[in-house]
Amino acid sequence: MTIEELTAKIRKLNSKAGQMKMNLHDLAEGLPTDYKTLMDVAAETYEIYRQLDELKQQLKQMESAK
């Protein structure tokens, strides 16, 4: 994967992460309504941010290896 491809993937995932963050925020504001979905939304949000962190670390390594 090239730096450009990785950067594009990070941008796309960053957008999705922002949306998940808002979904989690909206869900938290509406508690206790829909509390049963809280763990699923939180887990999905966590996974997206974990992937994003991993990709950013890869990008940093690729850029420093230039």
Side-chain angles (χ1 to χ4, degrees):
M1 183 179 296
T2 67
I3 289 178
E4 292 78 22
E5 290 170 332
L6 190 54
T7 302
K9 193 171 184 178
I10 288 171
R11 246 186 268 119
K12 183 177 177 184
L13 197 56
N14 219 2
S15 176
K16 188 172 182 181
Q19 183 58 51
M20 288 306 301
K21 179 179 170 182
M22 291 306 298
N23 291 350
L24 188 58
H25 178 266
D26 291 347
L27 180 61
E29 280 191 339
L31 288 174
T33 304
D34 295 330
Y35 75 92
K36 291 179 181 180
T37 63
L38 181 59
M39 293 305 289
D40 291 336
V41 174
E44 187 177 352
T45 303
Y46 172 85
E47 181 57 24
I48 288 171
Y49 276 93
R50 186 198 63 74
Q51 289 175 20
L52 189 56
D53 185 51
E54 187 177 290
L55 291 175
K56 285 180 179 180
Q57 288 178 28
Q58 286 178 16
L59 179 61
K60 193 179 214 180
Q61 289 174 352
M62 288 174 75
E63 289 176 336
S64 68
K66 276 185 162 180

